[in-house]
Amino acid sequence: MPSFAASRLVTGPFEEAVVRDTAIQLREQLSGKPTFGLVFATPDYAEKAEEFLELIRVYGHVPTLVGCSGTGLVGKSQEQEEGPGFSLMLLSVPGGKVTAIPFSGDNVEASTGADFWHRKTGRKPGDVKAWLAFLNPHALNAELWLKQWNQAYPQTPIFGGHAGGFPGDQEAWVFCDDRVTPGGVVLALEGEIAVNSVVSQGCKPIGEPLTITQADRHILLTLGSRPAYEVLCEVYKELSDSEREQAKGRLFAGLAVSEYLEDYKRGDFLVRNIIGADQKSGAVAINAVPRVGQTLQYQLCDSRMASDELRRLLLDQSAHIKPTPFAGFLCTCHGRGRGLFGAPNHDANLINDFFPGLPMTGLFTLVQLGPVGDRSFAHGYTASLALLSSTAV
């Protein structure tokens, strides 16, 4: 069986010999020459970032290398939520083609529409199987970029996330080949590469789906002509005692991805944080811009639901993906991990249960990118997994 990918999560501070040996060993595990590499490193590596990247490219023989900084890392069956280290994966994909395209905050502000990005990337809709994207949220308007990218490349999935760390962190680094690049970088996956997605938001709908009848920017005013706060209180009261305990800090708003469904269930909603509520006015503020006529249903997240949903999605993919994936790339939220599941390595272990021995890399990030329906969104509290397969075999 050809080895299309090899990965390793390395703990500890930057050491030239460790980086060099890791790159050599991963390269030697591949069946062919590396096509590209993905690398994620903790902020401890920032001072030596360019030396770190150059070592990987030189000793790994990696023509294209992208990634970013993160305070938590993902590897095969392994997650590191604290402490220094890096996660590296090298890939050799016969018939596959990748191109790294860096861009700046000025590019995002200067964009005049889809044609701007088509010229910048040299790609038109349908040319690319999927995009991997790594963004410095301190250097560009990430929300505006995502809106532009969805318009420029409709129905092409985007995976990745924001570089950086915990809330309040003001520094982040995006890697492109052997340098740190301002802004962001996208990696175009083309040729004989297939990409399947698992996007687990970890919530279940509670209460009833209702139509938004009044809203003002990110403020929900009425749902089904009733105050949004009143509906939220009613839904909370209907929870069991154990669910109410779990609901502390874990109630969310779910915006329907499609208005053409007869019955809504898990996976049919884009889950967004509730960031405030006012009993007097009856308003509920959410981390989104809802529109009148859109369907909304409140959501509850807990460890069991999050685990069950990820397991169900992985089971579905493992039964249907052909050929078998040769690599996985995971962006998961700081709100998951030990804090949610009470034990380490939850998401990485579960992925390995369904895809034993699958080379993996990735990071913990505040914002994850991944498709829901036919569009890609920015998520929180989500595990966004890209599964790569080769269509050349």
Side-chain angles (χ1 to χ4, degrees):
M1 181 72 179
S3 179
F4 295 140
S7 67
R8 184 173 300 169
L9 196 163
V10 177
T11 60
F14 172 83
E15 291 185 34
E16 179 180 335
V18 172
V19 177
R20 179 196 64 217
D21 292 347
T22 300
I24 292 172
Q25 291 163 14
L26 294 184
R27 170 173 56 83
E28 291 176 344
Q29 292 175 32
L30 298 177
S31 299
K33 295 180 179 180
T35 307
F36 69 105
L38 298 174
V39 63
F40 307 95
T42 57
D44 315 73
Y45 281 61
E47 186 177 338
K48 298 282 189 178
E50 294 192 351
E51 181 182 352
F52 169 67
L53 298 171
E54 184 178 11
L55 285 167
I56 293 171
R57 290 195 76 201
V58 169
Y59 290 100
H61 299 179
V62 186
T64 301
L65 180 67
V66 299
C68 65
S69 64
T71 49
L73 304 170
V74 175
K76 181 169 62 176
S77 301
Q78 188 180 2
E79 298 170 6
Q80 178 186 325
E81 298 183 55
E82 297 178 345
F86 69 94
S87 180
L88 174 65
M89 181 159 66
L90 302 187
L91 304 97
S92 175
V93 189
K97 178 184 176 184
V98 301
T99 306
I101 305 163
F103 61 93
S104 67
D106 289 343
N107 293 144
V108 177
E109 298 300 328
S111 172
T112 54
D115 287 345
F116 174 92
W117 290 113
H118 298 163
R119 293 192 300 270
K120 172 72 175 172
T121 65
R123 271 78 179 166
K124 293 185 177 180
D127 290 348
V128 177
K129 300 293 181 64
W131 300 96
L132 304 187
F134 307 105
L135 313 173
N136 182 342
H138 310 302
L140 57 80
N141 186 331
E143 183 178 348
L144 177 60
W145 173 84
L146 182 59
K147 180 179 179 181
Q148 294 173 354
W149 214 259
N150 273 317
Q151 292 171 346
Y153 301 100
Q155 300 183 11
T156 302
I158 308 166
F159 299 91
H162 289 190
F166 298 107
D169 288 353
Q170 295 301 310
E171 292 187 295
W173 298 271
V174 174
F175 309 139
C176 183
D177 293 335
D178 53 6
R179 66 189 186 278
V180 175
T181 183
V185 63
V186 289
L187 187 72
L189 301 181
E190 303 171 89
E192 298 187 77
I193 302 177
V195 184
N196 290 276
S197 67
V198 171
V199 177
S200 176
Q201 300 181 87
C203 290
K204 76 168 183 178
I206 54 176
E208 297 296 326
L210 295 171
T211 301
I212 298 170
T213 47
Q214 192 176 3
D216 182 12
R217 292 174 294 180
H218 67 285
I219 307 295
L220 292 168
L221 297 172
T222 59
L223 298 173
S225 299
R226 296 173 56 202
Y229 180 82
E230 178 183 306
V231 175
L232 179 60
C233 291
E234 182 179 283
V235 168
Y236 179 79
K237 289 177 183 178
E238 291 175 351
L239 297 175
S240 66
D241 291 342
S242 62
E243 286 176 328
R244 285 181 198 164
E245 184 64 28
Q246 296 159 1
K248 294 177 181 178
R250 299 195 184 279
L251 284 177
F252 299 88
L255 295 168
V257 175
S258 171
E259 298 301 324
Y260 302 102
L261 300 175
E262 294 184 4
D263 297 306
Y264 290 97
K265 58 186 183 303
R266 283 196 213 180
D268 294 333
F269 297 92
L270 180 63
V271 176
R272 286 293 181 255
N273 287 336
I274 294 174
I275 56 178
D278 181 56
Q279 182 178 5
K280 185 176 181 180
S281 67
V284 174
I286 66 173
N287 187 27
V289 181
R291 65 179 186 275
V292 172
Q294 192 172 15
T295 299
L296 181 142
Q297 189 168 5
Y298 289 118
Q299 311 278 317
L300 174 64
C301 173
D302 71 7
S303 59
R304 180 183 58 80
M305 294 170 199
S307 185
D308 287 350
E309 183 187 49
L310 180 57
R311 182 178 289 106
R312 175 179 58 82
L313 293 171
L314 289 168
L315 176 63
D316 181 67
Q317 288 288 24
S318 65
H320 295 99
I321 294 180
K322 302 295 180 187
T324 302
F326 63 79
F329 162 57
L330 175 67
C331 274
T332 191
C333 183
H334 288 293
R336 295 173 70 93
R338 291 175 185 264
L340 179 61
F341 299 109
N345 308 322
H346 177 274
D347 291 348
N349 270 337
L350 200 53
I351 293 167
N352 191 67
D353 287 345
F354 287 91
F355 299 99
L358 183 72
M360 284 273 298
T361 192
L363 75 160
F364 283 81
T365 175
L366 284 175
V367 176
Q368 310 82 51
L369 303 177
V372 176
D374 60 1
R375 288 183 58 203
S376 294
F377 296 91
H379 302 277
Y381 294 91
T382 294
S384 177
L385 171 67
L387 293 166
L388 280 61
S389 302
S390 173
T391 56
V393 293

